């Protein structure tokens, strides 16, 4: 029985491009979302924030990401890491947790993938904004 191959990538993979149609046609991101000229999110995406407290600036987040279209896509969250601890706090406060496939769009004011990674490495306290595609089945 054939299946879709699973491909894992580290945070240092090449960036994907934006597929742009002809003039007057809709533009779609690599995620399949319609790109709006006003810079807004498609109606199927919601924006969330989470605060992450690392033990110190040198602690890793315990999360694997992939660089994509200038953003960071969450591939894995490791148990016991800073993101996992932040998720426990968020859950206790009935706030959204960060999940696999969420797209990180801002870290402490940095909005480009490489600058978000630098912000994650430079600070022990992170304010992370991420989007999640809402599926309405």
């Amino acid at each position: 029985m054939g299946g879709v191959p699973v491909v894992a990538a580290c945070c240092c993979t090449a960036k994907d491009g934006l597929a742009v149609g002809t003039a007057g046609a809709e533009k779609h991101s690599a995620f399949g979302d319609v790109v709006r000229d006003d810079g807004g999110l498609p109606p199927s995406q919601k924006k969330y924030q989470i605060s992450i407290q690392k033990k110190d600036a040198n602690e890793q987040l315990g999360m694997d990401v992939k660089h994509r279209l200038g953003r960071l896509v969450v591939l894995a969250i490791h148990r016991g890491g800073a993101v996992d601890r932040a998720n426990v706090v968020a859950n206790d406060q009935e706030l959204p947790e960060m999940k696999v496939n969420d797209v990180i769009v801002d870290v402490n004011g940095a909005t480009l993938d490489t600058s978000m990674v630098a912000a994650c490495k430079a600070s022990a306290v992170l304010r992370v904004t991420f989007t999640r595609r809402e599926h309405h089945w």
Side-chain angles (χ1 to χ4, degrees):
M1 179 188 250
V4 176
V6 176
V7 179
C10 75
C11 66
C12 299
T13 59
K15 298 176 186 120
D16 296 323
L18 177 66
V20 179
T22 59
E26 285 186 331
K27 297 177 185 179
H28 291 82
S29 73
F31 302 110
D33 301 317
V34 175
V35 178
R36 295 174 22 183
D37 289 334
D38 64 4
L41 293 173
S44 63
Q45 285 191 352
K46 297 212 176 178
K47 195 179 273 192
Y48 303 99
Q49 286 191 328
I50 192 166
S51 294
I52 301 171
Q53 175 72 50
K54 299 189 312 186
K55 293 176 182 174
D56 60 51
N58 295 322
E59 180 187 17
Q60 294 188 358
L61 291 174
M63 171 175 67
D64 295 333
V65 298
K66 177 181 179 179
H67 293 247
R68 189 164 187 172
L69 298 171
R71 304 291 186 240
L72 300 171
V73 179
V74 178
L75 296 178
I77 297 172
H78 304 288
R79 194 173 302 239
V83 173
D84 184 53
R85 292 193 309 269
N87 278 343
V88 169
V89 171
N91 189 351
D92 289 346
Q93 297 175 357
E94 298 183 10
L95 297 170
E97 301 174 29
M98 186 177 291
K99 298 179 180 181
V100 170
N101 293 321
D102 285 346
V103 179
I104 300 170
V105 297
D106 186 300
V107 177
N108 292 356
T111 57
L112 184 62
D113 57 348
T114 53
S115 59
M116 289 188 283
V117 169
C120 288
K121 292 179 180 180
S123 181
V125 179
L126 305 172
R127 186 72 174 165
V128 178
T129 303
F130 59 95
T131 62
R132 178 173 300 147
R133 184 175 181 137
E134 301 292 333
H135 297 284
H136 303 285
W137 306 106

